[in-house]
Amino acid sequence: MDFLLRSRGTASSMYNQLQPAAQRKALDVYRGLLKEARAFFDETTRDFITTYTKQEFRRNQHDKKMLRVRRKLRNASTSLHLLQRANAHRFRDAVSVLEYGYGRKGPRKVEMLHAMAKIRPRERVFGNLREVARYRPAFYALAEKQFGTKKLVVSNESLKSRHPLNVAKMQDRHWDHIRHRLLPPIDQSTMDIVEERASTGVIVNALLRPNATINTTTMDVSPRDMEMLRQWEQRWVRFPRKSQTVRYYRALLDKGMAVMDVTVDMVPNKAKYWKAMPRRNARDGSGAVKPDLIPKKSFTFRHSLLAGKKPPSRANRIDVAG
């Protein structure tokens, strides 16, 4: 019995000794992430990393399970090393960090998919995946564009059991597989900024553009604040060379960057003019007559002309520059 009491006291004393060490390490990693994020050259990625780091550390600051705390600190340390290599202008690491900032992977991708098609992380579909076109038309159009129509449905011939529950389970797995691989679209302004940097190699903050579409009066950005922002970037941000910037953003354009255009057309209402429907069903439950035409959304996607093209060589840039 004394041994048990001593062992419990030892365990609690070990926890009390490990907790300050974990707190010090968490603070070091937190400050390092904010410092490296401040030095990254892309302002969109820089803002995302800063905001996400503050949210995650604030959400987990009261976690008392040491195993989970250590795992999260290891992940944060890995992200810190990735940012340090990206700020050293290593090609793969810089492109990887840009993918996180523009929603090609990571938590930003989940947020963009939810904003675009209302897709939740743990959503399930029981049945054929083509039924998604009725209540998730944007998601189905995007998946059809990226993977093709044939890959959206699981073939029953490849299943060992054709029981409805087994088919639904395989459809759910296929749904998760497609949802994790799907890349959300971006808006036209972001595409213009990425294309400009991929062609010229010059990085200019959106707030510092002379012909910026942002209304500085509504955002309360005075000329004095713009000058302070320009001096802050010159002091802290580590900008790469123009040739490196062209390679980074052209590699980013190859990661499925597309703009989605939505058009609404009026099509005949099939529910009203269906032959097998009785005449009394021409009205809905409220008694109102069903309309002849109903709106239907159609989606088109536009990719950049610079995607898939290699950046010009140094000799070609010299010839073009004269």
Side-chain angles (χ1 to χ4, degrees):
M1 191 66 182
D2 296 338
F3 173 75
L4 293 177
L5 292 175
R6 286 196 301 270
S7 63
R8 290 178 183 177
T10 305
S12 62
S13 61
M14 289 177 60
Y15 174 77
N16 293 330
Q17 292 176 4
L18 288 175
Q19 190 175 8
Q23 289 179 355
R24 286 194 298 269
K25 185 176 180 181
L27 285 176
D28 293 341
V29 175
Y30 177 73
R31 292 167 181 169
L33 283 171
L34 293 182
K35 181 180 178 181
E36 295 297 331
R38 181 180 59 184
F40 196 71
F41 54 87
D42 187 84
E43 69 274 6
T44 303
T45 309
R46 184 166 63 235
D47 296 340
F48 165 71
I49 295 175
T50 304
T51 305
Y52 184 73
T53 301
K54 292 180 180 179
Q55 290 177 355
E56 287 297 310
F57 274 85
R58 189 179 297 112
R59 185 169 62 89
N60 299 314
Q61 65 180 348
H62 299 295
D63 195 352
K64 296 182 179 180
K65 293 187 178 181
M66 295 304 299
L67 293 178
R68 187 164 56 190
V69 169
R70 289 174 179 174
R71 184 180 72 250
K72 292 179 179 179
L73 283 179
R74 284 197 300 268
N75 296 336
S77 300
T78 304
S79 302
L80 176 59
H81 296 329
L82 176 64
L83 264 177
Q84 291 174 350
R85 294 193 299 269
N87 286 330
H89 300 156
R90 296 189 179 182
F91 177 74
R92 292 185 178 180
D93 301 316
V95 174
S96 180
V97 175
L98 285 175
E99 290 178 11
Y100 282 109
Y102 284 90
R104 303 301 93 190
K105 58 183 179 181
R108 187 73 177 273
K109 173 184 172 182
V110 178
E111 296 176 359
M112 293 175 66
L113 281 176
H114 180 67
M116 181 268 299
K118 306 300 180 183
I119 299 297
R120 296 184 178 89
R122 296 183 179 180
E123 190 167 353
R124 293 291 184 269
V125 173
F126 290 96
N128 199 318
L129 202 62
R130 287 180 179 175
E131 298 178 0
V132 180
R134 291 191 292 112
Y135 57 92
R136 292 288 187 269
F139 173 82
Y140 186 83
L142 188 61
E144 188 178 13
K145 175 67 176 179
Q146 294 185 10
F147 306 114
T149 308
K150 295 183 179 179
K151 294 185 179 181
L152 298 184
V153 182
V154 176
S155 177
N156 295 338
E157 299 178 357
S158 61
L159 301 178
K160 296 183 179 179
S161 173
R162 299 186 182 181
H163 192 274
L165 292 179
N166 185 42
V167 174
K169 183 174 66 174
M170 296 305 296
Q171 289 287 352
D172 284 340
R173 291 182 180 178
H174 193 57
W175 163 271
D176 289 336
H177 180 67
I178 290 178
R179 183 173 54 81
H180 285 105
R181 291 180 57 194
L182 194 68
L183 298 176
I186 60 175
D187 54 352
Q188 184 61 43
S189 59
T190 304
M191 178 65 79
D192 295 339
I193 292 175
V194 175
E195 284 183 340
E196 180 183 354
R197 295 176 181 179
S199 58
T200 61
V202 179
I203 300 176
V204 180
N205 197 320
L207 295 176
L208 301 178
R209 293 173 178 270
N211 54 352
T213 57
I214 300 176
N215 189 2
T216 57
T217 58
T218 58
M219 296 185 62
D220 297 332
V221 180
S222 62
R224 180 173 177 272
D225 295 337
M226 295 175 63
E227 182 63 26
M228 291 178 61
L229 177 60
R230 186 181 293 106
Q231 295 178 2
W232 181 86
E233 287 189 348
Q234 292 178 357
R235 179 179 179 182
W236 297 109
V237 180
R238 305 172 190 172
F239 289 103
R241 298 192 302 269
K242 290 185 178 181
S243 59
Q244 292 177 325
T245 304
V246 171
R247 291 183 61 202
Y248 295 158
Y249 285 95
R250 292 212 178 193
L252 181 64
L253 288 173
D254 295 338
K255 304 296 182 179
M257 301 278 284
V259 179
M260 182 176 67
D261 297 330
V262 183
T263 57
V264 181
D265 301 327
M266 302 302 293
V267 298
N269 189 0
K270 295 182 180 179
K272 184 175 182 179
Y273 298 100
W274 189 31
K275 295 182 180 179
M277 180 178 294
R279 194 62 189 165
R280 57 187 174 84
N281 286 341
R283 296 175 180 269
D284 56 8
S286 61
V289 179
K290 293 184 177 180
D292 297 335
L293 300 177
I294 57 175
K296 182 181 179 181
K297 293 182 179 181
S298 58
F299 305 91
T300 56
F301 300 93
R302 293 181 289 106
H303 295 271
S304 175
L305 299 177
L306 300 176
K309 293 184 178 180
K310 294 183 179 180
S313 61
R314 183 179 179 183
N316 293 336
R317 289 199 302 270
I318 293 175
D319 294 340
V320 170

